[in-house]
């Protein structure tokens, strides 16, 4: 009898344990699993909203170490990098997001914004067009699913035509702005704002287009509104600086350029424009202090342009400096002479070879290419030599006409031709 009671107790205990295990398994298997890296991602988003873009980048990088395929982390890190002026890193992040999810409209739009801000109009236009194409394709898929959903007898009455999403208007506005149609761009931005009236990026881009059309007061209002929502937008401060400089309000111009540099301390174009404003104010006030500040900014701009291998803007900046300062930031001082010297030496040897040999060696196409390059550079042979030098340094072993065509193509792309 005792044996049977003991056996019964063991069986009851086993049954209770089994039921408990099954209930626990059902509970936890039914819970959604946390996406790897999402905690770091959320922290990065929060830091970005607080304006701590450097902290946001660190947190988002941690998220990507845990989950290298987290598309949202690439996009958010790209946005943070663009706010700090790290445009190349931002483009790489958006491109990585697109490679993981080629149908992400937001990634195309954000990459297009950065490309447009850097003067790559063709690349920006391609992204705008791709985003628009995806939008319409996805919209058609959604509508077809709606049509195939309920059986014919249960179909509701035809729905009222919905207004297009604000992203479509925004995309169209960006596309028109990149093509120089700023009046059309403003119309699209206004439509987008009616659907999303607090979007700082729409105000920022409408402000830029208004400035392009000469509406300085409207541009100031839009950019100020954009900065109230997003005080970390360095480009908005930069454009405001340009507007106030155009209005001859050099002090307010300098204040805005300084704000932009606090957010993006290695942007040479901001130093260059602040130098112009300081120089104008120095002439207006007969101030030696502002003249000194202008020279410091020109020097800093020239150094940064040279490090970025932007030789045309380097020369523009360095031409404002006295000879002594020019020598301090020359390519020789900064250790960037290899590419410069190789083309210069080759050019000197060729010039010494005699006119008859030169005419035999130089083909008419190469001669025409050189003429076109000099025309683009307003006859500046020194700049041509420097650009060809850099092309040869980056792409060794190519024929001479290849380097000429490459430099010409880069110049025309930069100028939006």
């Amino acid at each position: 009898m005792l044996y049977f009671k003991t056996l019964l107790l063991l069986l009851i205990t086993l049954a209770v344990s089994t039921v408990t295990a099954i209930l626990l398994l059902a509970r936890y298997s039914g819970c959604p699993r946390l996406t790897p890296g999402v905690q770091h991602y959320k922290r990065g988003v929060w830091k970005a909203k607080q304006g701590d873009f450097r902290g946001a980048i660190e947190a988002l990088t941690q998220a990507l170490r845990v989950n290298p395929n987290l598309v949202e982390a690439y996009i958010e890190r790209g946005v943070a990098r663009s706010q700090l002026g790290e445009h190349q890193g931002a483009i790489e992040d958006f491109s990585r997001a697109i490679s993981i999810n080629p149908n992400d409209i937001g990634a195309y739009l954000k990459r297009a914004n950065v490309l447009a801000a850097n003067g790559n109009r063709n690349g920006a236009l391609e992204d705008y067009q791709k985003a628009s194409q995806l939008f319409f394709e996805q919209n058609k898929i959604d509508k077809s699913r709606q049509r195939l959903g309920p059986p014919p007898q249960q179909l509701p009455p035809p729905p009222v035509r919905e207004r297009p999403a604000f992203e479509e208007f925004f995309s169209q506005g960006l596309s028109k702005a990149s093509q120089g149609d700023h009046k059309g761009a403003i119309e699209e931005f206004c439509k987008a704002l009616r659907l999303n009236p607090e979007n700082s990026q729409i105000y920022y881009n409408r402000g830029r287009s208004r400035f392009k059309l000469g509406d300085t007061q409207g541009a100031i209002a839009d950019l100020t509104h954009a900065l109230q929502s997003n005080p970390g937008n360095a480009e908005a401060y930069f454009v405001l600086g340009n507007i106030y400089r155009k209005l001859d309000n050099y002090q307010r111009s300098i204040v805005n350029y300084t704000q932009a540099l606090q957010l993006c301390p290695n942007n040479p174009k901001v130093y260059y424009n602040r130098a112009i404003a300081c120089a104008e104010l120095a002439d207006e006030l007969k101030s030696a202090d502002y003249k000194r500040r202008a020279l410091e900014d020109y020097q800093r701009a020239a150094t940064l342009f040279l490090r970025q291998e932007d030789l045309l803007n380097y020369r523009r900046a360095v031409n404002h400096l006295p000879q002594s300062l020019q020598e301090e930031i020359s390519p020789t001082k900064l250790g960037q002479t290899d590419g410069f010297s190789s083309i210069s030496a080759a050019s000197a040897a060729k010039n010494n070879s005699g006119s008859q040999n030169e005419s035999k060696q130089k083909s008419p196409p190469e001669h025409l290419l050189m003429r076109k390059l000099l025309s683009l550079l307003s006859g500046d042979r020194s700049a041509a030599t420097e650009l060809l030098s850099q092309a040869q340094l980056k792409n060794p072993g190519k024929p001479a006409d290849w380097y000429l065509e490459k430099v010409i193509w880069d110049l025309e792309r930069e100028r939006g031709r």
Side-chain angles (χ1 to χ4, degrees):
M1 188 68 180
L2 180 62
Y3 170 77
F4 286 108
K5 287 183 178 180
T6 304
L7 181 61
L8 181 61
L9 182 61
L10 286 172
L11 288 173
I12 292 172
T13 304
L14 181 62
V16 171
S17 300
T18 303
V19 171
T20 304
I22 291 171
L23 290 173
L24 288 172
L25 181 62
R27 177 182 177 183
Y28 286 105
S29 63
C31 291
R33 293 183 179 180
L34 195 64
T35 303
V38 75
Q39 293 297 337
H40 295 301
Y41 166 76
K42 288 180 177 179
R43 189 170 73 254
V45 172
W46 181 82
K47 285 181 177 290
K49 287 181 178 178
Q50 305 303 311
D52 180 11
F53 298 111
R54 188 61 62 194
I57 291 171
E58 292 175 1
L60 293 164
T61 301
Q62 287 181 328
L64 289 168
R65 288 196 191 103
V66 176
N67 185 357
N69 292 318
L70 192 59
V71 173
E72 295 84 356
Y74 283 110
I75 293 175
E76 292 298 331
R77 191 174 70 175
V79 172
R81 282 176 165 172
S82 67
Q83 292 292 345
L84 293 175
E86 299 173 3
H87 295 145
Q88 188 56 43
I91 291 169
E92 290 173 2
D93 277 343
F94 296 140
S95 299
R96 178 61 177 160
I98 289 168
S99 70
I100 298 172
N101 181 11
N103 296 320
D104 194 308
I105 296 174
Y108 283 104
L109 287 174
K110 289 178 172 62
R111 188 172 71 176
N113 286 343
V114 179
L115 290 170
N118 282 300
N120 187 349
R121 295 183 179 179
N122 292 333
L125 185 57
E126 288 178 9
D127 277 355
Y128 293 140
Q129 291 172 342
K130 181 64 177 177
S132 298
Q133 177 189 344
L134 287 171
F135 175 82
F136 287 115
E137 287 175 356
Q138 293 174 14
N139 197 34
K140 286 179 182 177
I141 291 171
D142 291 340
K143 287 183 178 178
S144 67
R145 286 174 178 169
Q146 291 172 5
R147 286 198 298 270
L148 295 173
Q153 64 272 18
Q154 296 180 10
L155 282 174
V160 179
R161 186 176 182 273
E162 295 182 1
R163 298 173 69 183
F166 85 94
E167 289 92 347
E168 180 191 353
F169 290 127
F170 186 42
S171 173
Q172 292 295 329
L174 293 172
S175 177
K176 289 183 178 181
S178 70
Q179 298 174 59
D181 179 13
H182 293 287
K183 184 176 180 181
I186 290 171
E187 292 175 358
E188 299 296 332
F189 292 142
C190 289
K191 294 175 186 176
L193 283 171
R194 281 195 283 271
L195 295 174
N196 192 342
E198 296 302 324
N199 190 295
S200 65
Q201 280 299 314
I202 304 176
Y203 280 105
Y204 163 68
N205 283 279
R206 190 176 71 173
R208 289 185 61 187
S209 289
R210 283 179 163 174
F211 179 42
K212 293 287 185 180
L213 292 178
D215 180 9
T216 55
Q217 294 306 315
I220 290 172
D222 275 350
L223 293 165
T224 302
H225 195 290
L227 286 168
Q228 287 172 352
S229 302
N230 180 15
N233 190 339
E235 284 291 326
Y237 283 114
F238 175 65
V239 178
L240 272 175
N242 292 338
I243 294 173
Y244 284 119
R245 184 161 61 85
K246 183 178 180 181
L247 295 173
D248 296 335
N249 191 338
Y250 301 118
Q251 289 183 331
R252 293 198 70 172
S253 174
I254 292 167
V255 168
N256 280 280
Y257 289 139
T258 303
Q259 288 278 6
L261 287 170
Q262 288 176 355
L263 295 167
C264 182
N266 292 316
N267 193 326
K269 65 181 182 180
V270 185
Y271 282 105
Y272 184 80
N273 282 271
R274 190 174 70 173
I276 296 173
C278 286
E280 294 286 352
L281 195 58
D283 290 341
E284 184 180 289
L285 302 177
K286 307 300 180 186
S287 169
D289 181 56
Y290 276 109
K291 185 175 181 179
R292 175 189 56 78
R293 290 173 61 180
L295 291 176
E296 289 175 354
D297 278 351
Y298 280 129
Q299 188 175 11
R300 180 65 173 162
T303 302
L304 290 170
F305 279 132
L306 187 60
R307 287 175 182 169
Q308 295 178 4
E309 298 179 1
D310 186 348
L311 300 179
L312 288 177
N313 282 317
Y314 161 75
R315 292 184 62 81
R316 291 192 183 104
V318 83
N319 284 340
H320 291 278
L321 299 173
Q323 188 63 35
S324 59
L325 290 178
Q326 288 186 24
E327 291 173 358
E328 287 185 19
I329 56 173
S330 66
T332 305
K333 287 280 188 181
L334 297 179
Q336 298 191 14
T337 59
D338 293 342
F340 289 75
S341 59
S342 58
I343 289 289
S344 300
S347 300
K350 195 170 187 180
N351 289 335
N352 293 331
S353 63
S355 59
Q356 291 182 351
N357 291 335
E358 182 181 2
S359 63
K360 291 179 182 179
Q361 292 174 1
K362 184 181 288 185
S363 63
E366 184 181 341
H367 174 66
L368 293 175
L369 288 170
M370 179 57 79
R371 243 159 131 195
K372 184 175 182 180
L373 175 58
L374 290 173
S375 174
L376 288 169
L377 296 172
S378 303
D380 190 340
R381 291 182 177 274
S382 175
T385 299
E386 291 172 359
L387 290 172
L388 289 168
S389 161
Q390 291 298 312
Q392 187 191 52
L393 184 64
K394 292 179 180 178
N395 306 277
K398 304 288 185 183
D401 58 348
W402 188 93
Y403 295 117
L404 286 163
E405 289 176 352
K406 176 71 168 64
V407 172
I408 289 169
W409 187 84
D410 286 341
L411 285 171
E412 290 182 337
R413 182 184 63 174
E414 179 187 343
R415 299 177 186 187
R417 293 189 179 184

